[in-house]
Amino acid sequence: MMIECASQKSACAECSYEKFCFNKQSIKISGKEHYLKKNESLNLSEDKFKGLYVIREGALKAYKTDPDGNELIHGLYLKNEVYGYESIYKGEYFFSATALCETILCEISYPKFLDLLSSNSHLLDHLLHLMSHQLTFGAYLKSITAQQRLAAFILDLFSRLLIESSSLISFYLPLSYQDIGRYLGLATETISRIFSQLKKEKIISIENKCIQLLQIDKLKSIAEGFLIH
Amino acid sequence: MMIECASQKSACAECSYEKFCFNKQSIKISGKEHYLKKNESLNLSEDKFKGLYVIREGALKAYKTDPDGNELIHGLYLKNEVYGYESIYKGEYFFSATALCETILCEISYPKFLDLLSSNSHLLDHLLHLMSHQLTFGAYLKSITAQQRLAAFILDLFSRLLIESSSLISFYLPLSYQDIGRYLGLATETISRIFSQLKKEKIISIENKCIQLLQIDKLKSIAEGFLIH
DNA sequence: CGGCGGCTTGAAAGGCATCAACATAAGTGG
DNA sequence: CCACTTATGTTGATGCCTTTCAAGCCGCCG
């Protein structure tokens, strides 16, 4: 039986950054749109910081390659989130950013962004809320056991994707197990084993990269303590 | 022989948040000062979010107690840093905040903070730099081995305390090994063992909670890949 | 002086990485 | 559309690293 994944509709009206969008503002701050295919990169690393990227559709991973050639994934950026805040203070981009699936980005020029914020205090408050939220991402990466990390990660994705279609609590997993492992600091095999175990205990089910949460409470009790949302 | 720790002078002029300070502004946004002794708490957890706390002197740990009674340290806030950003979006404080040593805090009212920011775009840019920086904290918590985590942690503290007194590269360690462990997700014994090892290899030395970096390069090569500063 | 918390060190157990072999899926070119 | 190739996921065996438990040490403070 196929699990029916909630579809991820795209509409500017649903975008958290709608208010920063040139379609809605007299000040035109969003200039470019970027369309990335799966595995295509923005290749920003070491580039001068110019602006932010709103993910309107799809998902990005931000990563560095260490001297041994391992890819260290520093962050995941999902639909309606923004990549680039981390780079403001340094004036350059730290990471390469690669699309995990078909992805649409809106580029926001930083100077124009500042203009807009200082002329509209509601927007400023809104932005601080968004950045504030982002500060809480990834708290579970400190959790000790692999099971806790993965459980917290799933719940994190779930809350960030905010998708609930009727009784089904399911969403599309936008990463490979390898990428999950790189993000959580665990081996691919460990991810696979834990998923198998969670499936056997009927806590989740996975089919075609579509993950369904069968027993959220159990998942939460596994992640216990490392959730802050 | 005593290691001479660089002293941590206190002066508003050196404070990153000087420009938000009522001493320097016509708008009075910083109302209260708080003086905390070691182990004294702000006890904010579950309180309504009202404002931010600038650490003018000392250090804070932000933590939660999990159902098993373990203290999970979510963040460390050092001199010149601000505690409270994470709470903006939720409207309440997530954590209890406890002083790790004698600590002086300046409270910044959030509404007045917003007023000030929207009337001064230089301040806004400054703030975004500060928040941006904070987004990069703790990247090393994902590193796999305990040695990597601890090495990266030491270097992180060092860069955040920004203390260099002539040829000595040393600073006061504001936490117990137990707290370091809780922050890094490692057992106290592990912290102790790794410190012993680093001392034996003459990479660092520790005396009376004052830590001296004897071979920064070696420390960096241990932390390899997980440093982003 | 005694008690207590923090640090140190040892021995044992357990969890995860690593290596390897295989299964399955996806992507490519003829 | 199939044959081939490559990426991704699964499963088992082994070894290492970190936790846990236990005991002892040291400095601090009442």
Side-chain angles (χ1 to χ4, degrees):
Chain A
M1 188 194 90
M2 276 288 286
I3 298 172
E4 189 188 336
C5 265
S7 67
Q8 297 178 41
K9 295 166 210 150
S10 169
C12 285
E14 293 171 7
C15 174
S16 313
Y17 288 78
E18 174 217 356
K19 291 175 181 165
F20 301 106
C21 181
F22 71 97
N23 288 322
K24 308 282 173 179
Q25 290 293 334
S26 48
I27 302 175
K28 191 169 179 171
I29 65 164
S30 170
K32 261 188 242 174
E33 280 189 353
H34 299 259
Y35 295 83
L36 298 179
K37 288 177 196 149
K38 186 174 175 175
N39 293 324
E40 244 184 309
S41 277
L42 274 171
N43 268 329
L44 300 168
S45 187
E46 318 255 323
D47 260 17
K48 190 164 161 263
F49 172 74
K50 283 174 291 187
L52 307 166
Y53 295 88
V54 181
I55 289 101
R56 225 176 67 199
E57 201 62 50
L60 284 183
K61 65 175 172 183
Y63 63 95
K64 256 186 175 172
T65 309
D66 78 3
D68 302 339
N70 301 311
E71 193 177 281
L72 302 172
I73 299 186
H74 176 260
L76 297 175
Y77 300 85
L78 308 178
K79 180 178 170 179
N80 276 344
E81 297 175 353
V82 164
Y83 175 63
Y85 289 142
E86 313 77 25
S87 304
I88 294 175
Y89 89 98
K90 189 109 182 199
E92 62 187 43
Y93 296 102
F94 286 113
F95 305 103
S96 305
T98 297
L100 296 167
C101 50
E102 288 225 347
T103 298
I104 306 172
L105 303 172
C106 291
E107 192 174 334
I108 296 185
S109 138
Y110 185 66
K112 291 182 183 170
F113 182 65
L114 276 185
D115 282 350
L116 188 61
L117 284 177
S118 53
S119 68
N120 184 331
S121 64
H122 289 295
L123 270 188
L124 175 60
D125 188 38
H126 184 58
L127 172 80
L128 290 177
H129 276 70
L130 292 165
M131 278 186 86
S132 165
H133 193 182
Q134 197 154 323
L135 280 169
T136 65
F137 289 177
Y140 51 82
L141 293 170
K142 291 193 317 198
S143 50
I144 297 164
T145 71
Q147 217 192 25
Q148 285 177 326
R149 280 197 219 187
L150 190 55
F153 174 72
I154 297 167
L155 290 167
D156 178 37
L157 277 187
F158 174 63
S159 78
R160 282 160 69 182
L161 291 168
L162 266 181
I163 292 166
E164 264 182 81
S165 75
S166 65
S167 61
L168 289 178
I169 298 181
S170 64
F171 56 91
Y172 180 76
L173 197 61
L175 318 88
S176 67
Y177 286 11
Q178 196 176 30
D179 279 339
I180 296 176
R182 284 170 179 158
Y183 180 58
L184 298 180
L186 298 168
T188 312
E189 295 93 325
T190 306
I191 305 294
S192 174
R193 277 185 246 267
I194 294 172
F195 268 133
S196 298
Q197 187 188 332
L198 293 176
K199 281 189 278 192
K200 204 163 68 185
E201 294 173 22
K202 308 240 179 266
I203 294 173
I204 62 170
S205 73
I206 306 179
E207 253 180 68
N208 295 318
K209 308 243 84 189
C210 194
I211 188 168
Q212 188 174 0
L213 310 187
L214 303 172
Q215 300 182 60
I216 283 206
D217 291 340
K218 275 203 183 167
L219 212 52
K220 283 184 182 168
S221 73
I222 291 172
E224 174 175 21
F226 292 98
L227 298 168
I228 59 178
H229 296 294
Chain B
M1 186 193 90
M2 275 288 286
I3 298 172
E4 189 188 336
C5 266
S7 66
Q8 296 178 42
K9 295 166 210 150
S10 168
C12 285
E14 293 172 8
C15 173
S16 314
Y17 288 78
E18 174 216 357
K19 291 174 182 165
F20 302 106
C21 181
F22 71 97
N23 289 321
K24 308 281 174 180
Q25 291 291 334
S26 48
I27 302 174
K28 190 168 178 172
I29 66 164
S30 170
K32 260 189 242 173
E33 281 189 351
H34 299 259
Y35 296 83
L36 299 179
K37 287 177 197 151
K38 186 173 175 175
N39 294 324
E40 244 184 309
S41 278
L42 275 171
N43 268 329
L44 300 169
S45 187
E46 318 255 323
D47 261 16
K48 191 164 161 265
F49 172 73
K50 285 174 293 187
L52 306 166
Y53 294 88
V54 181
I55 290 100
R56 226 177 66 199
E57 200 61 51
L60 284 183
K61 64 175 173 184
Y63 63 96
K64 257 186 174 174
T65 308
D66 79 4
D68 303 338
N70 302 310
E71 193 176 283
L72 303 172
I73 299 186
H74 176 262
L76 296 176
Y77 300 86
L78 308 179
K79 180 178 171 179
N80 276 344
E81 296 175 354
V82 163
Y83 175 62
Y85 289 142
E86 312 79 25
S87 305
I88 293 175
Y89 89 98
K90 189 108 185 200
E92 62 189 43
Y93 295 102
F94 286 112
F95 304 104
S96 305
T98 297
L100 294 167
C101 51
E102 288 226 347
T103 297
I104 306 173
L105 303 172
C106 292
E107 192 174 335
I108 296 184
S109 139
Y110 185 66
K112 291 181 183 170
F113 181 66
L114 276 184
D115 283 350
L116 188 61
L117 284 177
S118 52
S119 68
N120 184 332
S121 65
H122 289 295
L123 270 188
L124 176 59
D125 188 39
H126 183 58
L127 171 80
L128 290 178
H129 277 70
L130 292 166
M131 277 185 86
S132 166
H133 194 182
Q134 196 154 324
L135 281 169
T136 65
F137 289 177
Y140 51 82
L141 293 171
K142 291 193 318 199
S143 51
I144 297 165
T145 70
Q147 217 192 24
Q148 285 177 327
R149 281 197 217 186
L150 190 56
F153 173 72
I154 297 167
L155 290 166
D156 178 38
L157 278 187
F158 174 63
S159 78
R160 282 160 70 184
L161 290 169
L162 266 182
I163 291 167
E164 264 182 80
S165 76
S166 65
S167 61
L168 290 178
I169 298 181
S170 64
F171 56 91
Y172 181 77
L173 197 62
L175 316 88
S176 67
Y177 285 12
Q178 195 176 31
D179 279 339
I180 296 175
R182 284 169 179 158
Y183 180 59
L184 298 180
L186 297 168
T188 312
E189 295 92 327
T190 306
I191 305 294
S192 174
R193 277 185 247 268
I194 294 171
F195 268 132
S196 298
Q197 187 188 333
L198 293 176
K199 280 189 278 191
K200 203 163 67 185
E201 294 173 22
K202 308 240 178 267
I203 293 173
I204 62 168
S205 73
I206 307 180
E207 253 180 68
N208 295 318
K209 306 244 82 185
C210 194
I211 188 168
Q212 188 174 1
L213 310 187
L214 304 173
Q215 300 182 60
I216 284 205
D217 291 339
K218 275 202 182 168
L219 212 52
K220 282 185 182 168
S221 73
I222 291 172
E224 174 175 21
F226 293 98
L227 297 169
I228 59 177
H229 296 295

